[in-house]
Amino acid sequence: MTTTQVTLVQIDNYGPWTVTPEPRREMDLQTLQSRLFADIAQFLGHRDAYVFFTRFDNMIAVTNGVDGAAHATLQESIGNRYPVTVSLGTAVAERPVDALEAANHRLQTVGSAQDEARVEVLDGEYLTETTGSDLQIAHFDVVNATGKYTDRLNEFDTFINIEQAYASLMRYLRETHGALSFFVGGDNIIAVCPDLPESAFADAVAHVERDVDVELQVGVGRGASAHEAGFAAKHALEDCRLDGTSVELFGAPAVSD
Ligand SMILES: Nc1nc2c(ncn2[C@@H]2O[C@H](COP(=O)(O)OP(=O)(O)OP(=O)(O)O)[C@@H](O)[C@H]2O)c(=O)[nH]1
């Protein structure tokens, strides 16, 4: 059984801030958002957690092993260094989407994302113990993206193909399994999953090919932290590349379930 600790990071009252006293220069907002993401990625990455930028004003982190004190330090440090503050809601569940739902709910019950009185909420539950099977992470990548897209099409048309694969996969895994999938650059998508057999990943790859005609391969790993599971997934993806297979489970025998 998987146990996922999810932290929702939400910039406080960001919408009004972006237009007060008048609309702010777009590239200044982009700089702020990407620096904030980079800072949070560095802080959480050093603690073996993952964070995904999603919409930038809200980010989703997988924080197994990161306790309440560390969350408080992150929040304080951002408040000290940025013109904005963040609220953090954390929850634990077997399915990633249920953990996110509960984490989100903690912030939503305190107030709106655009309530100027709702500032630096820190509300959550944290795993006290972790085990090596808590997280299952899948690292998807487009087969031969360079040869099929990058070296043949213009960058925008390549982007359309990759984003279509992402949209198809994220929706399928969310609806079928309660998994959370994130585009992480290039042709790569990382999915935080509940306990799924090898056949579920083969079905996901087949779905995307049928739906949008993009061929994926996927490595799957387990671990006590996002880094541990994600790193195992990267090694499994290397096995796909070496063996020409579309699904590999790290450390698992080469048989389907
Ligand atoms: N975030 C992330 N991006 C990666 C990673 N590996 C590769 N990329 C990105 O993906 C792009 C394409 O690289 P590859 O996936 O190795 O290339 P490919 O042509 O699809 O080749 P195969 O995956 O071997 O089929 C690179 O330019 C990077 O932007 C990774 O581990 N993480």
Side-chain angles (χ1 to χ4, degrees):
M1 197 185 84
T2 52
T3 308
T4 308
Q5 178 179 307
V6 168
T7 301
L8 177 75
V9 180
Q10 189 169 83
I11 304 180
D12 295 317
N13 204 28
Y14 186 52
W17 185 85
T18 64
V19 291
T20 305
E22 58 172 335
R24 295 175 195 260
R25 291 173 66 99
E26 185 55 32
M27 287 305 110
D28 288 345
L29 299 179
Q30 294 297 317
T31 304
L32 168 71
Q33 291 170 191
S34 51
R35 285 202 175 134
L36 183 60
F37 170 69
D39 257 2
I40 294 173
Q42 188 170 42
F43 183 95
L44 291 178
H46 284 160
R47 288 159 181 80
D48 287 349
Y50 274 6
V51 63
F52 302 99
F53 48 77
T54 49
R55 292 190 295 137
F56 285 101
D57 57 351
N58 287 256
M59 302 177 219
I60 297 171
V62 178
T63 54
N64 293 49
V66 183
D67 64 12
H71 279 75
T73 301
L74 172 64
Q75 190 175 50
E76 181 188 345
S77 177
I78 291 167
N80 282 338
R81 293 179 297 116
Y82 284 87
V84 295
T85 57
V86 294
S87 287
L88 304 174
T90 304
V92 175
E94 184 181 340
R95 292 195 324 156
V97 73
D98 297 329
L100 175 64
E101 190 84 32
N104 235 140
H105 189 66
R106 287 176 193 270
L107 298 191
Q108 286 162 348
T109 49
V110 179
S112 166
Q114 296 202 357
D115 174 351
E116 61 184 30
R118 202 215 68 184
V119 175
E120 292 190 312
V121 176
L122 179 64
D123 188 8
E125 55 176 344
Y126 306 93
L127 279 167
T128 49
E129 282 175 26
T130 58
T131 76
S133 58
D134 284 344
L135 285 167
Q136 187 176 46
I137 287 184
H139 196 124
F140 289 84
D141 144 289
V142 174
V143 177
N144 191 22
T146 311
K148 282 189 204 152
Y149 305 106
T150 314
D151 290 347
R152 289 183 51 207
L153 307 180
N154 71 60
E155 175 52 19
F156 195 81
D157 293 338
T158 293
F159 182 53
I160 289 177
N161 276 284
I162 303 296
E163 290 293 301
Q164 278 192 322
Y166 173 42
S168 175
L169 182 70
M170 78 194 301
R171 188 179 288 276
Y172 176 85
L173 288 178
R174 161 69 184 91
E175 288 172 359
T176 318
H177 302 297
L180 303 175
S181 312
F182 304 96
F183 178 63
V184 294
D187 61 348
N188 286 239
I189 298 158
I190 293 178
V192 186
C193 301
D195 216 347
L196 296 179
E198 189 170 347
S199 59
F201 297 101
D203 290 346
V205 168
H207 170 82
V208 173
E209 183 142 27
R210 253 194 330 271
D211 194 25
V212 295
D213 195 26
V214 175
E215 191 185 353
L216 298 176
Q217 56 197 351
V218 57
V220 184
R222 308 278 306 216
S225 66
H227 164 69
E228 213 175 281
F231 210 57
K234 280 172 177 255
H235 281 292
L237 186 60
E238 287 299 302
D239 292 340
C240 289
R241 292 189 172 117
L242 283 173
D243 302 342
T245 46
S246 57
V247 185
E248 290 286 345
L249 266 55
F250 185 79
V255 291
S256 54
D257 58 294

